Amino acid sequence: MLSEEFVSAICGAPLSSNTAIAKDVGIYCHTLSPTYSVKSTFKKSSVPVNCLAISESHVFTAQHEKAYVHVYSRLRGNQEAFVAFPERIRCLTLVGDVLVMGTMEGRLMLWETCTGRLVSTPARHVQAVSCVAATPYHVLTGSDDSDIHVWSLPQLLELDSAAEHEPQRSLSNHRAAIVGLSVSSSVSSDTNFCVSASKDKSCIIWNYQTGDALRTLLFPSFPLCLSLDPSSRAVCVSCEDGSLYLTEAFAEKPLLGPGSEEATTVVQVSSPFGATLPDVGPASCLSLSYDGTMLLTGHPKGQIMRWDIAENKSPVELANLNAAVTNIGFVSPFPMDKPTKTVNIIKPSQAERAYTFAAQFDSYSGSETRFDSLLNAAGFPREAMENAIAAFSQPVAEPASNQVLQKQNEELWDIINEQRALQKQTLQRFAETKSNQ
């Protein structure tokens, strides 16, 4: 059975003097299935909302009200680095080997963890960058100033670029601070969208590549966080009143796609999927499993709740971390198709101009090819030498395609020669007629 893992982070002091829970642990690595357990923990971290990023080899966390990022090695199970930045980090996300960070000054920073290269943009947001989402081609930043900027990731990472970095477009339909942002990784025109949540009690589904607002979802109270289904089929939203809403994009009356022409632009969402108890509090973070059947929510009283979306049963408390749970993220069950693996991160440096890539090549697990056998042999193998000598001694046979081209070329020359002869006869007759006159 395929195991499911997720990582959670807390922020703030312990809520009670429970000695069964370690006081200095800030990050928990959990195994959800086949049976729930805490796999490992990392110490000395206080992580605000939207400040957790997970890769195959590392965990990155920004620290509450500080200009620090802690880096933990999942391979070795310890804290690998303590990285200081010139500004306080408000949010972060990971795309490939690039850590994308939003600052309190409205700036965007990109740190290439394999090279140590640090790219910083001007402060294009008037207020702090509250959330950030990324695809392999775009970076989206939401801010307390109610605007969303769409950036081109290749342009941001361009080497020797003298021009100042500018967003490709701005999405400005919201009227209050942006609290959540999630983007689809699909390449289909029907599902290539992003969803933003704001304190104006709305979520907007955008075509971020054109800047069009496709649908506006209105809620009874303002959202605290959101999560997009991994297959981009639905969006789950947690609101301040403790309600959880699950809105399907491709239901019987779809909000997106070819069958959505009759849907109105503004949709009132009033029927919650579930509601948390008062002693638990509203969910401050949530995450959907990769199969879309399970929802995990983190709460300010320390609980992590599991919701069964498929059967809509009552929620089950998985754990109580004795501190406000601010981040939950599932670990991808899909292996990364990359030729290299990051073993040790390179700390960022703006002063260093050299571009050095440090990574470890992954072993190739495929079947041995002819090139592999030649590479691993001592000298030239006898069989390879005999085949090479035989290839030189045999006459080279012309490919069938060359014979066809040669035949076509001969036919064209025949036509050209006929035209030349006809032209010559025409000129001779013209000259004879002119001389007779």
Side-chain angles (χ1 to χ4, degrees):
M1 182 178 181
L2 181 65
S3 63
E4 290 182 289
E5 298 180 2
F6 69 95
V7 179
S8 64
I10 61 174
C11 184
L15 298 176
S16 65
S17 57
N18 188 349
T19 58
I21 301 175
K23 295 182 179 180
D24 56 348
V25 173
I27 301 171
Y28 296 81
C29 299
H30 312 256
T31 298
L32 182 60
S33 63
T35 58
Y36 172 77
S37 64
V38 177
K39 185 178 180 181
S40 59
T41 59
F42 297 109
K43 298 182 178 181
K44 299 179 181 179
S45 196
S46 182
V47 188
V49 177
N50 297 327
C51 289
L52 172 70
I54 310 162
S55 71
E56 283 189 325
S57 56
H58 291 86
V59 175
F60 301 85
T61 58
Q63 301 304 300
H64 181 60
E65 295 295 332
K66 295 180 180 179
Y68 303 137
V69 170
H70 291 186
V71 183
Y72 301 90
S73 173
R74 294 180 59 197
L75 304 176
R76 292 182 290 271
N78 62 352
Q79 183 173 351
E80 180 177 327
F82 172 85
V83 184
F85 289 91
E87 298 178 15
R88 286 182 296 171
I89 306 301
R90 176 72 182 276
C91 56
L92 56 80
T93 190
L94 194 66
V95 50
D97 294 321
V98 180
L99 187 68
V100 183
M101 299 165 285
T103 71
M104 292 293 294
E105 305 299 326
R107 201 181 310 275
L108 190 63
M109 292 185 179
L110 293 91
W111 167 27
E112 289 185 345
T113 58
C114 288
T115 65
R117 179 169 173 251
L118 183 65
V119 178
S120 180
T121 69
R124 298 306 182 193
H125 283 289
V126 179
Q127 298 183 38
V129 180
S130 57
C131 48
V132 60
T135 72
Y137 309 103
H138 293 90
V139 174
L140 290 83
T141 56
S143 171
D144 289 341
D145 62 10
S146 76
D147 285 341
I148 301 169
H149 291 337
V150 181
W151 308 76
S152 170
L153 184 59
Q155 290 181 5
L156 291 172
L157 298 177
E158 185 179 1
L159 294 174
D160 301 327
S161 177
E164 286 192 348
H165 298 293
E166 295 279 350
Q168 288 184 328
R169 63 189 57 84
S170 296
L171 314 178
S172 56
N173 285 28
H174 284 294
R175 295 295 178 264
I178 309 298
V179 297
L181 196 60
S182 186
V183 61
S184 167
S185 58
S186 172
V187 297
S188 171
S189 59
D190 293 334
T191 57
N192 193 1
F193 59 88
C194 74
V195 184
S196 60
S198 170
K199 288 186 177 181
D200 61 5
K201 298 183 180 181
S202 72
C203 286
I204 298 181
I205 303 175
W206 306 85
N207 183 335
Y208 61 89
Q209 297 195 24
T210 62
D212 297 329
L214 304 178
R215 294 290 181 270
T216 300
L217 309 178
L218 299 179
F219 297 92
S221 61
F222 73 79
L224 296 176
C225 56
L226 64 85
S227 179
L228 191 62
D229 180 83
S231 299
S232 305
R233 300 172 300 179
V235 57
C236 189
V237 179
S238 169
C239 290
E240 185 189 24
D241 60 359
S243 300
L244 292 172
Y245 296 90
L246 185 67
T247 304
E248 296 187 32
F250 304 98
E252 184 178 352
K253 294 181 179 179
L255 299 177
L256 304 175
S260 63
E261 288 80 3
E262 298 180 358
T264 58
T265 304
V266 179
V267 179
Q268 182 70 47
V269 182
S270 56
S271 300
F273 162 74
T276 57
L277 298 175
D279 59 342
V280 176
S284 55
C285 58
L286 51 83
S287 182
L288 284 161
S289 62
Y290 274 82
D291 59 3
T293 61
M294 196 173 300
L295 172 69
L296 298 183
T297 57
H299 301 268
K301 301 295 181 63
Q303 295 90 344
I304 296 179
M305 308 295 292
R306 182 184 66 190
W307 305 74
D308 194 329
I309 296 178
E311 299 182 7
N312 197 13
K313 295 180 179 179
S314 299
V316 177
E317 180 178 320
L318 285 180
N320 191 326
L321 305 183
N322 197 30
V325 181
T326 53
N327 292 269
I328 291 179
F330 273 92
V331 178
S332 174
F334 307 109
M336 298 291 290
D337 187 15
K338 292 172 52 180
T340 60
K341 179 174 63 177
T342 304
V343 179
N344 298 306
I345 60 102
I346 307 299
K347 288 188 175 182
S349 173
Q350 291 180 313
E352 184 65 36
R353 297 298 180 183
Y355 192 87
T356 305
F357 182 83
Q360 175 180 309
F361 284 101
D362 279 346
S363 59
Y364 179 68
S365 59
S367 59
E368 187 179 30
T369 62
R370 181 173 177 269
F371 177 78
D372 294 333
S373 61
L374 291 173
L375 186 64
N376 296 327
F380 291 99
R382 180 181 180 85
E383 183 182 357
M385 294 294 295
E386 291 177 352
N387 293 336
I389 295 173
F392 278 113
S393 61
Q394 294 177 359
V396 179
E398 291 188 2
S401 58
N402 290 348
Q403 297 178 1
V404 173
L405 291 175
Q406 184 177 359
K407 184 177 180 181
Q408 292 177 351
N409 195 23
E410 292 175 354
E411 292 176 352
L412 288 174
W413 274 113
D414 292 339
I415 295 174
I416 292 173
N417 291 331
E418 290 178 1
Q419 294 294 327
R420 286 178 177 177
L422 180 61
Q423 183 182 19
K424 185 177 180 180
Q425 293 177 3
T426 304
L427 290 175
Q428 288 178 353
R429 291 180 181 178
F430 176 76
E432 292 175 357
T433 304
K434 189 174 182 180
S435 61
N436 294 334
Q437 293 178 353

